[in-house]
Amino acid sequence: MKILLLLVTAGLCAAQYNPNTKAGRTSIVHLFEWRWEDIASECERYLAPNGFGGVQISPPNENIIITNPSRPWWERYQPISYRLCTRSGNEQEFRDMVTRCNNVGVYIYVDAVINHMCGAAGGSGTHCTCGSYFNTGNRDFSAVPYSSWDFNDGKCKTGSGEIEDYSDRYQVRDCKLVSLLDLALEKDYVREKIAEYMNKLIDIGVAGFRIDASKHMWPGDMKAVFDKLHTLNTQWFPSGAKPFIFQEVIDLGGEAISASEYFGLGRVTEFKYGAKLGNVIRKWNGEKMAYLKSWGEGWSFMPSDKALVFVDNHDNQRGHGAGGASILTFFDARLYKMGVGFMLAHPYGFTRVMSSFRWPRYFVNGRDVNDWIGPPCYSDGTTKPVTINADTTCGDDWVCEHRWRQIRNMVGFRNVVDGQPFENWWDNGSNQIAFGRGNKGFIIFNNDDWDLDVTLKTGLPGGTYCDIISGQKECEHCTGHQIQVDNDGLAHFQISNSTEDPFVAIHIDSKL
Ligand code: QV4
Ligand code: CA
């Protein structure tokens, strides 16, 4: 009996690291700035049929309306209240989205902005997405309600009241991040209001949370909030399931605060991942793909079962947050597909695919001065719906990376090889590499400036396989390249260095 009890508690207490995705679904996609109605449709028409496990959505709570610059994407990181109305939709639309997505096994992960409210210079009035009255001067957020008692003003010791030195952990937690009014999470009243907001979302049916700006909150205060959270809605989830928690902590090393301080609360974003992978795929700083043999903890990343990984995110694809110029984005399409393909084939971490909108980058002295531009919208600021073209791509400046064949098919690859060991590694000492995932999948890259021509042990059973990068298997034929694996598991690969997608991936579900 004791053993059983131990197993049960171990299972339960590990739960907040568990993404709660439906069995066989191993990635989520960040549908950045999408409308709830469009997300619901995408769950049903695309994400479920293609094996996506869930969607990270933009913050669903009321935010300030910024008019200078005009409706920047980042106004949604300046809360006014926890009422569910934003440019993505109202509460009813939010509820419809959660129900429709849950019903097809694609779950919802909410971007929870709980460290702060809007910027100190936000003024007063009702210029916000639900029309709630607020007054930043006296810290009045009437729709919560919050008042000056509920902010850290008295605790911060810097002259400006803002974070001035990231080597001082007290400033980082108790002062304002770029002037954003910092909530006093050590107060039970504030903890209660935040838990009330998150519990409403849990009861509606969400599966977990991205915790924004986690570095700026004390782990003890966060634990006090998370301990108040309900278990998930049993209409879709097993009884006792805990919300998945992944905390945004940018830790590239060298600061007072490290990601490991948050391991006890849930998973943590591993920002080293995208920064390093960008360097390797771009072949900068002497990096080469042969070094990826030890990828993961071997590169001093956090333990795999604590990591939430991604090639780029909504911040660093536009120069915010961390990662710098090495970050691969949809603007670097050819390299980006290799980076995302590698991430989805490698066993490290829980994977998140980015899905962006296009904006007109304009660099002045190396900085994109258009980094603020918000989602595709009409002249009145209303976000445009996502249109789907006949060729299944998205229109109206929605990039829809998750719909790119190479990326969609690699999401499927990760599902097929889930749990399989990383083995049969090969490299040419430079930028040609290959590896398998047990007897379920195999991938090979040519990122050198010359052709690849090699015969390798794949670990796969003999047969004819469709390459899922150049095409896929459709009614027992390959729309792209075919790979012959002989009964010893050996296969001959030839990849020109000038081809659009210089990598090949095969798995047992793409076998004829
Ligand atoms: C500016 C000055 C302030 C000044 C203020 C006066 O920087 O010093 O006092 O004006 O009004 C926007 C503007 C920023 C402005 C601020 C307040 O860009 O210039 O301050 O508003 O008016 C996003 C954007 C920020 C944006 C913020 C709020 O990235 O540019 O600030 O939303 O709208 C650190 C954190 C990490 C954070 C990362 C960006 O450790 O947690 O920076 N990442 C998360 C989100 C990110 C979001 C926030 C946190 C804040 O991923 O998208 O910031 O919620 O690394
Ligand atoms: Ca804080």
Side-chain angles (χ1 to χ4, degrees), residues 80 118 120 122-125 132-142 181:
I80 295 296
C118 69
S124 64
S132 304
Y133 176 77
F134 69 97
N135 179 330
T136 56
N138 58 19
R139 311 300 192 244
D140 178 6
F141 292 87
S142 63
L181 297 175

Side-chain angles (χ1 to χ4, degrees), residues 248-487:
E248 187 232 4
V249 179
I250 298 180
D251 176 5
L252 298 179
E255 288 183 24
I257 290 161
S258 48
S260 59
E261 295 178 54
Y262 296 85
F263 286 169
L265 299 173
R267 287 192 186 243
V268 183
T269 51
E270 178 52 276
F271 276 86
K272 296 174 187 169
Y273 192 100
K276 293 287 185 186
L277 189 57
N279 268 325
V280 171
I281 303 273
R282 293 175 190 278
K283 300 187 271 193
W284 284 357
N285 309 333
E287 294 289 8
K288 50 188 171 185
M289 289 189 84
Y291 297 151
L292 294 174
K293 182 175 184 177
S294 59
W295 187 249
E297 290 93 340
W299 280 56
S300 77
F301 298 161
M302 65 179 75
S304 177
D305 65 356
K306 296 290 185 297
L308 187 284
V309 297
F310 44 96
V311 171
D312 64 325
N313 81 339
H314 72 279
D315 279 329
N316 64 21
Q317 69 172 190
R318 50 177 48 79
H320 286 230
S326 79
I327 296 296
L328 293 169
T329 74
F330 67 88
F331 287 109
D332 321 293
R334 184 171 183 272
L335 296 179
Y336 189 67
K337 285 176 280 184
M338 275 197 264
V340 177
F342 177 81
M343 172 182 78
L344 291 167
H346 194 279
Y348 180 84
F350 181 72
T351 46
R352 178 182 66 194
V353 170
M354 182 70 200
S355 188
S356 318
F357 59 78
R358 200 169 284 107
W359 75 95
R361 292 192 299 184
Y362 185 76
F363 290 96
V364 174
N365 302 329
R367 200 180 82 77
D368 174 12
V369 296
N370 282 342
D371 64 347
W372 57 271
I373 289 181
C377 65
Y378 299 109
S379 53
D380 67 353
T382 309
T383 300
K384 284 185 178 178
V386 177
T387 50
I388 306 295
N389 300 322
D391 66 357
T392 76
T393 59
C394 296
D396 275 330
D397 279 334
W398 296 101
V399 179
C400 287
E401 299 95 314
H402 69 287
R403 280 176 165 256
W404 295 3
R405 180 190 66 252
Q406 302 84 347
I407 292 178
R408 177 204 56 233
N409 285 350
M410 281 308 296
V411 166
F413 181 104
R414 189 175 193 80
N415 291 341
V416 171
V417 306
D418 188 30
Q420 291 296 311
F422 175 76
E423 55 190 22
N424 292 316
W425 173 273
W426 167 84
D427 67 67
N428 70 340
S430 180
N431 292 285
Q432 297 178 357
I433 66 165
F435 61 89
R437 294 291 306 276
N439 59 4
K440 303 275 195 221
F442 191 80
I443 192 165
I444 180 165
F445 295 85
N446 178 13
N447 198 20
D448 271 326
D449 300 331
W450 57 90
D451 288 351
L452 174 150
D453 185 337
V454 69
T455 297
L456 295 174
K457 183 166 171 271
T458 64
L460 295 176
T464 304
Y465 292 75
C466 299
D467 168 30
I468 60 159
I469 301 303
S470 57
Q472 59 221 6
K473 173 180 162 185
E474 286 178 10
C475 348
E476 284 313 303
H477 90 281
C478 300
T479 59
H481 302 312
Q482 276 186 189
I483 303 293
Q484 205 55 40
V485 177
D486 72 19
N487 290 334

